[in-house]
Amino acid sequence: MFNIFQKKRKEPLKLPFKTDIHCHLVPGVDDGSPDAATSAELIERMQRWGIERIIASPHVTQYTFENTPDILDPALEELQEELRRRGNAIVMERSAEYRIDEFFLKQMEAKALTPYPNSYLLIENSFMQEPWNLDQLIFDLQVRGFRPVLAHPERYTYYYGKPSRYKELHDAGLMFQINLLSLAGNYGKAEKKMAEKLLEDGMVDFIGTDLHNSRHAAVIDEYLMSKDAEKHFAMLESVIQNDKAFI
């Protein structure tokens, strides 16, 4: 959890990006926001951080969240209608966070994936172990015209003992997206340390809030008052592609 004893700034920082590409605000489809009203309230908080565009990334995972466009698109429209009702003109879109599993492979074969603009595709490893065919999958996605992006590589603890694997994957064209909540210490010290290491090593291409709920929003509010955020944002501003890649 975020360290409340860190030195604080007098005023909160704005985020060093205006486009959030990883959050769970499509209502009622995963472990994120349960309804459109809650999503709209969280979006209003995000706008205070400087966010102007959101490409939400609902979970797509076998057995737990077997989401398809037929499920996700109506839920997104419900949220967009709530935003219009409130007079909120933020740009609200969606892709997905695709867990590498059998359901993902079936969706890929059925051409039912929804990538980000310009064919970027957010994929997620299991937290237990690396998918056995990850290298081949990266290649296959690239052959199909996708630009694969690995969600929160700093959270896969099985890489900590072999950090060279990060470079192998990144050199193979797998882009990395770290979570703002990792830098804020929400998941733990080890995850924060690895996120900082990837940043220092020049292997961070994107960042996402990973916002699910009001507790996450409170963590980010606190983080934006910290000296840590000031240090991280100075490093992030020149490298992340959130506001460039999806035009």
Side-chain angles (χ1 to χ4, degrees):
M1 192 64 180
F2 184 79
N3 183 357
I4 61 174
F5 299 106
Q6 282 187 358
K7 292 181 179 178
K8 294 184 178 181
R9 296 168 43 84
K10 293 182 179 179
E11 297 290 337
L13 287 166
K14 296 289 187 181
L15 294 175
F17 55 96
K18 299 182 186 302
T19 302
D20 187 22
I21 68 165
H22 185 163
C23 60
H24 297 270
L25 300 181
V26 176
V29 298
D30 62 9
D31 60 345
S33 174
D35 53 61
T38 300
S39 295
E41 290 165 6
L42 290 169
I43 287 166
E44 289 166 0
R45 293 181 74 165
M46 295 171 79
Q47 288 173 299
R48 294 198 289 270
W49 303 336
I51 294 295
E52 298 178 0
R53 180 187 185 190
I54 296 171
I55 310 176
S57 56
H59 288 293
V60 177
T61 58
Q62 192 169 27
Y63 305 127
T64 51
F65 304 115
E66 293 190 347
N67 286 313
T68 62
D70 288 344
I71 295 171
L72 296 175
D73 289 340
L76 176 64
E77 174 56 32
E78 180 185 355
L79 172 54
Q80 291 171 327
E81 177 59 33
E82 175 66 16
L83 291 169
R84 287 193 290 268
R85 188 185 70 79
R86 293 173 178 239
N88 190 329
I90 192 167
V91 179
M92 185 76 212
E93 306 162 72
R94 78 149 186 94
S95 177
E97 181 182 8
Y98 292 100
R99 174 73 60 86
I100 300 171
D101 56 26
E102 289 300 318
F103 186 72
F104 168 70
L105 297 177
K106 290 177 181 178
Q107 292 287 94
M108 182 173 70
E109 291 301 323
K111 298 183 179 179
L113 303 178
T114 304
Y116 294 105
N118 296 323
S119 299
Y120 291 92
L121 189 74
L122 189 67
I123 58 176
E124 176 189 38
N125 284 1
S126 162
F127 285 99
M128 301 299 294
Q129 62 184 20
E130 181 184 276
W132 66 270
N133 61 339
L134 181 58
D135 297 273
Q136 183 63 47
L137 178 65
I138 294 167
F139 177 77
D140 289 346
L141 287 171
Q142 292 168 333
V143 168
R144 291 168 184 261
F146 293 112
R147 298 172 175 178
V149 179
L150 184 62
H152 45 65
E154 75 280 4
R155 298 185 64 193
Y156 306 125
T157 57
Y158 45 79
Y159 288 145
Y160 293 5
K162 46 180 180 179
S164 61
R165 183 61 171 148
Y166 283 119
K167 188 174 189 308
E168 290 175 4
L169 292 171
H170 201 255
D171 286 350
L174 181 61
M175 305 178 85
F176 288 172
Q177 174 260 303
I178 64 170
N179 285 353
L180 189 69
L181 285 167
S182 294
L183 292 174
N186 181 73
Y187 310 111
K189 293 180 180 178
E191 289 81 356
K192 176 179 178 178
K193 182 177 179 181
M194 185 53 71
E196 291 174 331
K197 181 71 165 58
L198 291 171
L199 184 54
E200 290 166 2
D201 289 347
M203 288 191 284
V204 174
D205 304 289
F206 302 99
I207 189 166
T209 63
D210 194 31
L211 186 68
H212 285 65
N213 50 51
S214 59
R215 184 187 68 79
H216 283 169
V219 171
I220 293 173
D221 280 337
E222 187 75 18
Y223 172 65
L224 293 176
M225 294 294 297
S226 73
K227 295 293 185 179
D228 257 2
E230 194 171 325
K231 177 184 71 174
H232 295 150
F233 291 0
M235 300 173 68
L236 283 164
E237 278 185 314
S238 62
V239 296
I240 57 171
Q241 302 181 42
N242 290 48
D243 297 330
K244 305 172 187 175
F246 310 110
I247 298 173

